[in-house]
C-alpha cells in the first residue's frame, strides 16, 4: 500500500472506532486487506493509535475551528477525516498542504457534496491557529 491508501485505511479504522468498533486485526486483514509488514502499514497504525490517544485535544481543535458546528453535528466520516488530518498536522512531519489536500480528496470520495469545502475550512483554520 502507498501513503494515500494508508491514510484512507487509517480514516476507516478511526470511523469504525467512532462507531463503537475496535479497529482490530479482523478489520485490517479482512475488510481493508492490509497486511502487517506491508509498506506503510506502520504509518496506518501510528495514525490510528495517535488519533485514539489524542482524541480529546483533536476534538477541541476541530470544534474550535468548525465555526458554529458542534462535534455532534459533524458527520462521522467527516469527523474521522478531520481527526486524522489534524493529528498528522500536529506531528509536523508532512507538509500541511499535502495533508489538507488528501483530507479534502477523502471527503470528496467518502462523504457528502459539501464535505470537501467544510473539511478544507476546518483544517485551514487549524493550520492558521497553529502558526500563530
Amino acid at each position: 500500500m502507498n501513503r494515500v491508501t494508508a491514510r484512507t485505511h487509517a480514516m476507516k479504522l478511526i470511523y469504525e472506532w467512532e462507531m463503537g468498533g475496535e479497529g482490530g486485526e479482523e478489520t485490517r486483514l479482512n475488510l481493508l486487506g492490509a497486511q502487517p509488514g506491508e509498506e506503510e502499514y506502520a504509518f496506518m497504525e501510528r495514525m490510528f493509535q495517535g488519533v485514539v490517544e489524542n482524541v480529546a485535544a483533536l476534538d477541541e481543535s476541530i470544534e474550535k475551528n468548525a465555526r458554529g458546528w458542534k462535534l455532534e453535528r459533524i458527520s462521522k466520516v467527516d469527523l474521522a477525516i478531520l481527526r486524522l488530518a489534524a493529528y498528522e498536522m500536529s506531528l509536523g512531519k508532512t507538509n500541511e498542504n499535502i495533508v489538507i489536500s488528501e483530507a479534502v480528496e477523502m471527503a470528496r470520495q467518502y462523504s457528502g457534496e459539501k464535505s470537501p469545502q467544510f473539511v478544507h475550512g476546518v483544517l485551514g483554520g487549524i493550520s492558521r491557529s497553529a502558526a500563530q
Side-chain angles (χ1 to χ4, degrees):
M1 96 179 79
N2 61 27
R3 183 63 57 106
V4 173
T5 302
R7 278 190 186 94
T8 301
H9 285 352
M11 180 274 294
K12 290 176 181 179
L13 291 171
I14 294 163
Y15 174 81
E16 178 187 11
W17 173 76
E18 173 65 28
M19 299 305 290
E22 62 183 56
E25 206 56 36
E26 183 177 322
T27 299
R28 287 167 176 76
L29 296 174
N30 297 332
L31 181 64
L32 301 176
Q35 301 296 319
E38 186 176 3
E39 184 179 348
E40 300 296 348
Y41 187 91
F43 173 81
M44 175 191 74
E45 285 290 317
R46 280 194 314 275
M47 293 299 105
F48 173 66
Q49 289 303 323
V51 168
V52 170
E53 292 168 6
N54 295 284
V55 71
L58 295 169
D59 285 355
E60 183 180 324
S61 180
I62 290 166
E63 196 163 40
K64 176 183 167 191
N65 289 283
R67 296 189 185 128
W69 285 74
K70 295 288 181 194
L71 288 178
E72 300 80 35
R73 287 189 57 214
I74 299 172
S75 83
K76 299 300 183 199
V77 172
D78 290 351
L79 189 55
I81 293 167
L82 288 167
R83 285 172 170 163
L84 172 64
Y87 177 69
E88 188 172 3
M89 287 167 49
S90 75
L91 297 176
K93 294 181 180 180
T94 305
N95 183 297
E96 287 187 353
N97 292 330
I98 292 170
V99 175
I100 293 170
S101 176
E102 290 195 13
V104 167
E105 190 54 41
M106 272 192 267
R108 187 172 286 115
Q109 186 172 359
Y110 294 100
S111 197
E113 185 178 315
K114 295 184 179 184
S115 292
Q117 284 179 290
F118 178 72
V119 166
H120 189 271
V122 172
L123 294 176
I126 290 171
S127 176
R128 284 187 297 280
S129 63
Q132 295 177 353

